Amino acid sequence: AYIVWETHQYGDILSLVMSCAWDGDVNQYSVYLYDTDSGTRLNTAELLAEMGVDETAFLDAVRRTAAERFDTGYEQLGDDFADVLAERRAWTLSDENINMDVPAYVDRAGRLHAVLYIGSIAGAGAYPHVLTLDDIG
């Protein structure tokens, strides 16, 4: 349906975040990170190193924020979907889903964000969400 992009400059780190919307209000995200001083592209681990953020603290923050997002999204369903909710929540918070391959970026204010697939009980098995990581470390 459309493609939009936004940029964030934090010190020497330039983050380009592209979002592509598909039918059914589904978005796909791509994150590109550049060190403008050296002219090189960064990955998540290099971004965290540049910012002085411990990888374990980052992964813990992603996991906490993903759990909150999942639980908030499905809190109204009750016990009728308990088995499928438990499976989708476990997958959402698994090491398979949450690892250093998770795209991350930093905004102008220095807040970290991660693009993570959150498990779904309808449609596709999971959809990407942008998570703001407010509590790292």
Side-chain angles (χ1 to χ4, degrees):
Y2 63 84
I3 296 174
V4 295
W5 56 272
E6 59 186 62
T7 60
H8 303 280
Q9 183 81 38
Y10 181 75
D12 292 334
I13 301 170
L14 175 66
S15 300
L16 170 63
V17 182
M18 298 180 67
S19 175
C20 177
W22 302 94
D23 292 334
D25 201 27
V26 175
N27 286 350
Q28 178 180 353
Y29 298 92
S30 297
V31 175
Y32 303 93
L33 304 169
Y34 297 96
D35 181 326
T36 58
D37 185 48
S38 67
T40 58
R41 187 170 173 186
L42 304 174
N43 60 30
T44 296
E46 293 164 333
L47 168 67
L48 297 177
E50 288 281 328
M51 296 185 68
V53 174
D54 178 73
E55 289 182 10
T56 301
F58 167 75
L59 294 172
D60 289 345
V62 171
R63 194 164 273 111
R64 273 192 312 275
T65 307
E68 291 169 11
R69 177 72 58 93
F70 185 92
D71 294 344
T72 301
Y74 291 111
E75 65 189 357
Q76 75 283 3
L77 290 183
D79 293 337
D80 291 342
F81 296 93
D83 290 343
V84 70
L85 285 171
E87 186 279 326
R88 290 287 72 206
R89 188 179 196 276
W91 178 86
T92 297
L93 303 179
S94 71
D95 291 344
E96 174 188 353
N97 190 40
I98 299 176
N99 53 59
M100 289 308 297
D101 292 330
V102 169
Y105 65 94
V106 60
D107 66 19
R108 290 175 181 85
R111 290 177 305 211
L112 277 171
H113 303 267
V115 177
L116 185 76
Y117 278 83
I118 303 292
S120 173
I121 65 168
Y127 294 99
H129 292 257
V130 175
L131 305 177
T132 301
L133 310 176
D134 290 324
D135 185 23
I136 298 179

